[in-house]
Amino acid sequence: MYDIIILGAGASGLIAAIHAARRGRRVLVVDHAEKVGKKLLVSGGGKCNITNKHISVSDYIGENNSFCQYALKQFTTESILDILHEANIKTEERTHGRIFCKKGANEIVAYLFKTSEDSGVHFSLNAEISEVSHTSHFLVKCEDRQYKSQHLLVATGGLAWPQIGATNLGYRIAKQFGHKVTPLKPALTGFILPQDSPLLNLHGISLNVQLHIKGKTSVIEEPLLFTHRGISGPSVLQASCFWGKGDIVAINFLPSKNVVLQMREPCNGKLLAKNLFMRFLPERLVKAIIPGYLSERKVAELGKKDRTAIAECIHAFPVCPDSCEGFSKAEVTMGGVDVGEINPRSMESLRLKGLFFSGEVIDITGKLGGYNIHWAFASGYIAGQYI
């Protein structure tokens, strides 16, 4: 009989286990994976974008993103940096305040596992959960064993990256105990473009852009990458959190230059329009976004209407994606267990005493840049302190 069973050996489950065990609780972590922290190990290209220098409620999305306010105040960027300092894990700060583990994610995963064991946490790994039930206590059944506890923390993560073991277990458990689960969709993922899009067949090109979803987002300035099926890269991943079917995405391919002013320069008048803009943009991209009847003419021959049309092609190219890439390409899951049925100061269910949730399984999603791993730690920390 345990005091607490934690389902999920990711960032959220491990930090919760450590803090609960340090409070004298008998803790068991159960996971179907053969080792802990699998998603942490592959995040950030293996470098693990563990947090961000600047974190606020506005960096999170959900039906009620203010739910995360208490956890973020209790577990700040400095809280994670203190853990990394204690573990002697060196970090590096990149653009937009993103903080990475300098030597790789394996360091933080090894630290969390060792600290858990040193704190007295028990583990049952490679354990496929077949049933979870509750009477006077929680009962977790695996294939050849079962465990009992007074409290249960669901820290199973979301549907993103099924190739490393993501499942819908957490959502099924939530629904089983009467919780509402808001609609789930892949987020921080690329866009698939229509088959007739001029932006197809540009795979391999990468450049810094400004991008926004018309009527929805402010301008996002980050790199964009062309893929075999559409567009990706940090700018698109950010936009995927806000995009809905039918939304138009406007792309400024040359934010550092004013296209109209370039065409007004007397020295550029004898150049073909395409040759002028191939000074700043890849040739394949220029040919794809500027129609031939404009790009093949000399700049001096272009009228005001033509120059405006070229400027719009470069500074506000419209894209209407067919869809987002699926969960296999997504970094996180949007939607999840309804926060209206969870106490933000404890992560305990308001429907069933003793049941807790933390991390990605909850309807809180961070933007790109370390916000989701930070939320996993912050919500796990609150649960671990309270259970």
Side-chain angles (χ1 to χ4, degrees), residues 202-209 223-226 232-234 282 284-285:
L202 297 176
H203 51 274
I205 293 176
S206 177
L207 71 166
N208 196 61
V209 303
L224 178 144
L225 171 68
F226 289 94
S232 188
R284 285 192 294 152
L285 177 60

Side-chain angles (χ1 to χ4, degrees), residues 3-4 17-27 119-120 384 387:
D3 296 315
I4 304 163
I18 290 167
H19 285 280
R22 285 176 174 175
R23 293 170 49 239
R25 305 302 186 263
R26 182 171 164 80
V27 181
S119 301
I387 300 177

Side-chain angles (χ1 to χ4, degrees), residues 287-321:
K287 289 181 177 179
I289 63 176
I290 304 177
Y293 74 90
L294 293 174
S295 66
E296 296 291 342
R297 292 165 62 189
K298 290 182 179 180
V299 172
E301 298 172 352
L302 296 168
K304 183 178 179 181
K305 187 176 178 181
D306 294 331
R307 294 184 182 200
T308 299
I310 290 176
E312 289 179 354
C313 288
I314 295 176
H315 285 319
F317 192 88
V319 175
C320 187

